[in-house]
Amino acid sequence: MARFQINILGCGSAKPSTRHLPSCQVVDYRDRLLMIDCGEGAQQAMCRQRLNFSRLTDIFISHLHGDHFLGLPGLLATLSLQGRGGSINVHLPAEGMEVLRSFVGWTCRDFGYDIRWNALAIEQQTVLDLPGMTVEAFPLYHRVPCLGYIFREKPKQRHLRGDMAKWLEIPVAQLRAIKEGADYVKEDGTVVPNALLTTDADPSVSYAYCSDTMMDPRVAEAVKGVDTLYHEATYLSDLEASARERGHSTAQQAGIIARMAGVRQLIIGHYSQRYRDVTVLVEEAKREFECVLAADEGMKIDLL
Amino acid sequence: MARFQINILGCGSAKPSTRHLPSCQVVDYRDRLLMIDCGEGAQQAMCRQRLNFSRLTDIFISHLHGDHFLGLPGLLATLSLQGRGGSINVHLPAEGMEVLRSFVGWTCRDFGYDIRWNALAIEQQTVLDLPGMTVEAFPLYHRVPCLGYIFREKPKQRHLRGDMAKWLEIPVAQLRAIKEGADYVKEDGTVVPNALLTTDADPSVSYAYCSDTMMDPRVAEAVKGVDTLYHEATYLSDLEASARERGHSTAQQAGIIARMAGVRQLIIGHYSQRYRDVTVLVEEAKREFECVLAADEGMKIDLL
C-alpha cells in the first residue's frame, strides 16, 4: 500500500515555548523519509514519533534562520554515530551554505557517509526526481533567501479493465502502454480506444510547504492546485503590520492564499509563542477558507 | 534566603532517546543562573523548568562534542530575540572555540548584547569569582580537551551571639570584623575571644561536575571534599573496556571516584541510551558508595 504521510515534528516559531518545537516536518513516502526544515530538537522528535533514521534520504531547508536548521548538525552527527553508510542529500538556499557546511564538518569529524550539499538558487526548479514523485522548490518572500517546496506525485497509470483485456486477449507486453493511455490495435487493424480498456487513474496527490513567508500572490500561483498546503500563520490580523515587517503572514492571509490557490485543505503553523491556544488562529483562517487544520507536534496527515 | 540549587535539564549521552536529553544543567545561585553544558534542546528545557533566561549570566562548556554544546547557538539567538542587553559569558576549552564563535555570529547577526568568550586552558584554574562563590575548572580525561567545574561557596561569616553583643555594647562598626573571626577588644584593653562572641558559620557547600571523563584518580583529587559530585556513568561494568576506549566511565567507577574524593552524595548521569531503566546503574554505583542519586530531567537538588 502506497503511503504519503506528513508528520509534524515542530510547528512553533523562533522563540522557544513549552507548547511547540521549532519547524520540522517529515514526509513519509513509500520507502523514504524526506525531512522539511530541521529545527533544534528534530532528532529527539524523530525518536519520539518513531521515524526510522535509516529511511531518511533527503533534507530540505527553507532558509537559514536558526529555528529552521539548528537541529541539522546534531541530526547528521547522530546518523554517523548510528553507523550510517551511503549518503544523504541536504537541499538548501545557497547563501550561507558554506558556513553551515564547515560547522557540520567540524561538529562531527568522522562521518561514515557522504553529505551531498545541494545549493539552490531562489527560483522555481525541480530539486529531486524520485520514482513516483518530484520535489520542486519555489521562492518565498521572507527577510532572507527562502524556498518553499512542493512534493508532487507523478501522474499514475490508468486502471486496466481486466475483463476487456481478457476478452480481447491483449498480449502482456502491451499492457503497460495501455495503462499509460495507448489505444489497442488488433491484428486486423481495428483500433480499440483506450477509454474502453481502462478506467481513470487515481488522482496524484501533492503537498506544498510555505514557511516562512509574508503573504504574496506569487506564492498562491506557485502552489496552485496542490492538494494540501502548509502555510505559516505566525500572527493574528491585529499584528498584520509587524507580520509584514518581519516577513511573516497572519492566519487570515494564510486562508486567503489557500483560497487563491484552490487547494483542498490548509494546514497552519509556525505559531508565535504569544498564542497559548491556536484555536483563534484557526478561526481567523476559516473566515477565508473552509478546511483548516492546526498543525501540532506528533500529528500525522495521510494524503493517500 | 540563600539558594544553591542544581537543575538537571539533560542527562543522556550522545545518541538521542525518548527518555533523556543531552547534557545540560543549571546552577541556580542567589540572583544568577549558571549553565553547565548546553546540549540540543537546552532552551526548550529552560522554558519547561521555568528557569528565567534573564537571570542567566554564565555558560560553562565542558568540551566541544555536539551533545554538550549544540544547544548554544539557538539559546544565544533566543536571548537576542528576547531583547537581552548587557553581556553573557561563555567559558569553554580554547580548542575549537573560533569555529563555534564564528558559527554563532553567523546564526544570529544582530546580537543586542555582548558574548564574552572565555577560552580556557585544560588546567586547574579559577574561572569566575562571584560574591559568595567561585567557579573553578580542572582537567577531565576524555577523547578531546575537556574540563570539569566546581561551584564552591566561599567561607561564610560566623553567627554573632546577639546576647553577648548587647551585653558588651559592641559598636556596630566592629560587628563585621567579629563575624569574620576577630576578637573584641574593650576600651579598657580587655580581650573578649571570638569564640565567646560567635557560633560556627554555616558550612560552605560545593558542587562538582565531571562529564565526560574516563575514571582517573586525578579527578578524585581535584574534587576532594566537595559536598555533591555529579559524575558521568555512561555504562555498566561489563562495558568497562569500551568505556575506557571511548573516554567514559562505568557506574562502578563513578562510585569509586565518589568514595576516593570523600564527597557527601553522588549524582550519576550521561546514561547510554541502551539502558531503559537506570536503576541498574544506580545499584552498581551503590556497591562502591552509599549515597547515589540518578539524575533525571526536571530534577532539582537543593544544596542549601
Side-chain angles (χ1 to χ4, degrees):
Chain A
M1 165 73 191
R3 178 203 289 266
F4 186 176
Q5 186 183 64
I6 311 303
N7 292 264
I8 308 292
L9 280 65
C11 56
S13 55
K15 282 192 190 168
S17 80
T18 55
R19 296 181 297 283
H20 297 291
L21 291 172
S23 294
C24 184
Q25 301 189 4
V26 170
V27 177
D28 187 345
Y29 183 70
R30 297 189 179 174
D31 55 340
R32 292 168 183 262
L33 298 182
L34 310 169
M35 182 177 277
I36 321 170
D37 280 338
C38 186
E40 192 179 335
Q43 57 173 327
Q44 184 92 15
M46 278 194 75
C47 291
R48 226 167 12 237
Q49 295 179 216
R50 297 176 177 279
L51 295 164
N52 189 335
F53 289 81
S54 67
R55 291 176 59 215
L56 184 64
T57 60
D58 292 80
I59 302 171
F60 301 85
I61 301 292
S62 63
H63 66 297
L64 294 171
H65 275 162
D67 57 319
H68 292 255
F69 77 92
L70 281 176
L72 192 61
L75 172 63
L76 295 175
T78 289
L79 293 179
S80 185
L81 274 179
Q82 290 178 338
R84 165 129 189 170
S87 63
I88 196 161
N89 306 307
V90 181
H91 313 270
L92 75 176
E95 197 205 52
M97 191 193 76
E98 281 310 319
V99 186
L100 181 55
R101 182 181 184 157
S102 67
F103 183 74
V104 164
W106 171 78
T107 304
C108 180
R109 273 154 272 192
D110 307 305
F111 282 99
Y113 65 99
D114 284 336
I115 302 173
R116 297 193 186 145
W117 298 88
N118 183 17
L120 302 172
I122 306 301
E123 61 186 27
Q124 184 99 25
Q125 64 203 286
T126 297
V127 179
L128 190 65
D129 190 344
L130 298 174
M133 176 182 274
T134 56
V135 185
E136 301 154 28
F138 59 94
L140 294 177
Y141 304 93
H142 193 44
R143 300 198 304 282
V144 297
C146 189
L147 289 166
Y149 294 99
I150 301 176
F151 299 76
R152 200 187 293 276
E153 278 196 300
K154 292 177 181 173
K156 295 175 185 172
Q157 290 185 327
R158 297 179 62 80
H159 295 287
L160 188 70
R161 284 185 55 179
D163 53 351
M164 289 294 286
K166 192 171 174 188
W167 181 63
L168 293 165
E169 294 176 342
I170 302 176
V172 172
Q174 297 196 33
L175 294 181
R176 182 166 176 170
I178 291 169
K179 285 195 266 186
E180 285 168 357
D183 297 333
Y184 173 54
V185 184
K186 285 165 63 172
E187 277 183 19
D188 65 4
T190 318
V191 174
V192 186
N194 188 277
L196 292 178
L197 302 171
T198 61
T199 55
D200 282 349
D202 292 333
S204 293
V205 171
S206 51
Y207 175 67
Y209 175 88
C210 303
S211 186
D212 297 353
T213 190
M214 61 178 78
M215 185 179 81
D216 194 294
R218 288 168 291 182
V219 172
E221 193 55 41
V223 303
K224 202 155 198 76
V226 302
D227 192 66
T228 298
L229 168 67
Y230 175 86
H231 194 288
E232 72 132 289
T234 309
Y235 302 109
L236 284 174
S237 287
D238 61 331
L239 293 175
E240 187 174 327
S242 43
R244 182 154 291 271
E245 189 188 329
R246 296 172 195 172
H248 289 301
S249 302
T250 65
Q252 181 182 30
Q253 292 173 331
I256 292 171
I257 294 292
R259 180 157 46 75
M260 288 171 70
V263 304
R264 187 174 66 78
Q265 65 178 346
L266 168 67
I267 306 171
I268 58 168
H270 201 266
Y271 315 117
S272 161
Q273 46 78 16
R274 79 187 59 214
Y275 304 110
R276 290 190 173 275
D277 179 352
V278 299
T279 312
V280 289
L281 293 159
V282 174
E283 282 167 1
E284 187 178 284
K286 279 194 172 177
R287 290 208 293 272
E288 301 292 339
F289 184 79
E290 192 176 348
C291 184
V292 181
L293 283 178
D296 200 9
E297 280 74 9
M299 193 177 192
K300 293 174 188 292
I301 302 124
D302 281 305
L303 301 188
L304 284 187
Chain B
M1 163 78 189
R3 177 203 289 263
F4 187 176
Q5 186 183 64
I6 312 302
N7 293 265
I8 308 291
L9 279 65
C11 56
S13 56
K15 282 192 190 167
S17 80
T18 54
R19 296 181 297 283
H20 297 291
L21 291 171
S23 294
C24 183
Q25 301 189 5
V26 170
V27 177
D28 186 346
Y29 183 70
R30 296 188 180 174
D31 55 338
R32 289 168 185 264
L33 298 182
L34 311 169
M35 182 177 278
I36 322 171
D37 280 337
C38 187
E40 191 179 334
Q43 56 173 329
Q44 184 93 14
M46 279 194 74
C47 291
R48 223 163 18 233
Q49 295 179 218
R50 297 176 177 278
L51 295 163
N52 189 334
F53 289 81
S54 67
R55 292 175 58 216
L56 183 65
T57 60
D58 291 80
I59 302 171
F60 301 85
I61 302 291
S62 63
H63 66 296
L64 294 172
H65 275 162
D67 57 320
H68 292 256
F69 78 91
L70 281 176
L72 192 61
L75 172 63
L76 295 174
T78 289
L79 293 178
S80 186
L81 275 179
Q82 291 178 337
R84 166 129 186 171
S87 64
I88 196 161
N89 306 307
V90 181
H91 313 271
L92 75 175
E95 198 205 52
M97 191 193 76
E98 282 309 321
V99 186
L100 181 56
R101 182 181 185 158
S102 68
F103 183 73
V104 164
W106 172 77
T107 304
C108 180
R109 274 155 270 195
D110 306 304
F111 282 100
Y113 65 98
D114 284 335
I115 303 173
R116 297 192 186 147
W117 299 88
N118 183 17
L120 302 172
I122 306 300
E123 61 187 26
Q124 184 99 28
Q125 64 203 286
T126 296
V127 179
L128 190 65
D129 190 343
L130 298 174
M133 175 181 275
T134 56
V135 185
E136 301 155 29
F138 60 94
L140 294 177
Y141 304 93
H142 192 45
R143 301 198 306 280
V144 298
C146 188
L147 289 166
Y149 294 99
I150 301 176
F151 299 77
R152 201 186 293 278
E153 278 196 302
K154 292 177 181 173
K156 295 175 183 171
Q157 290 186 327
R158 297 179 62 81
H159 295 287
L160 188 69
R161 285 187 51 181
D163 54 350
M164 289 295 284
K166 190 169 176 189
W167 180 62
L168 291 165
E169 294 178 341
I170 302 176
V172 171
Q174 296 196 34
L175 294 181
R176 181 167 176 170
I178 291 168
K179 285 193 267 186
E180 285 169 355
D183 297 334
Y184 174 54
V185 185
K186 286 165 62 172
E187 276 185 19
D188 65 5
T190 318
V191 174
V192 186
N194 188 278
L196 292 178
L197 302 170
T198 62
T199 56
D200 283 349
D202 293 332
S204 293
V205 170
S206 51
Y207 174 66
Y209 175 89
C210 303
S211 186
D212 298 352
T213 190
M214 60 178 78
M215 185 179 80
D216 193 295
R218 288 169 290 182
V219 172
E221 193 56 40
V223 303
K224 203 159 197 74
V226 303
D227 191 68
T228 297
L229 169 66
Y230 175 87
H231 195 289
E232 71 134 288
T234 308
Y235 302 109
L236 285 174
S237 288
D238 61 331
L239 293 176
E240 188 175 325
S242 44
R244 181 154 293 271
E245 189 189 329
R246 296 173 195 173
H248 289 301
S249 302
T250 66
Q252 180 183 31
Q253 291 173 331
I256 292 170
I257 293 291
R259 180 158 44 77
M260 288 172 70
V263 305
R264 189 174 65 77
Q265 66 179 344
L266 168 66
I267 306 171
I268 59 168
H270 201 266
Y271 315 119
S272 160
Q273 47 77 13
R274 77 186 60 211
Y275 303 110
R276 288 192 174 272
D277 179 354
V278 300
T279 312
V280 289
L281 293 159
V282 173
E283 282 167 2
E284 185 177 284
K286 279 194 171 176
R287 290 208 294 272
E288 301 291 339
F289 184 79
E290 194 176 346
C291 185
V292 181
L293 283 177
D296 200 10
E297 281 74 9
M299 194 178 193
K300 293 174 186 294
I301 303 124
D302 281 304
L303 301 188
L304 284 186

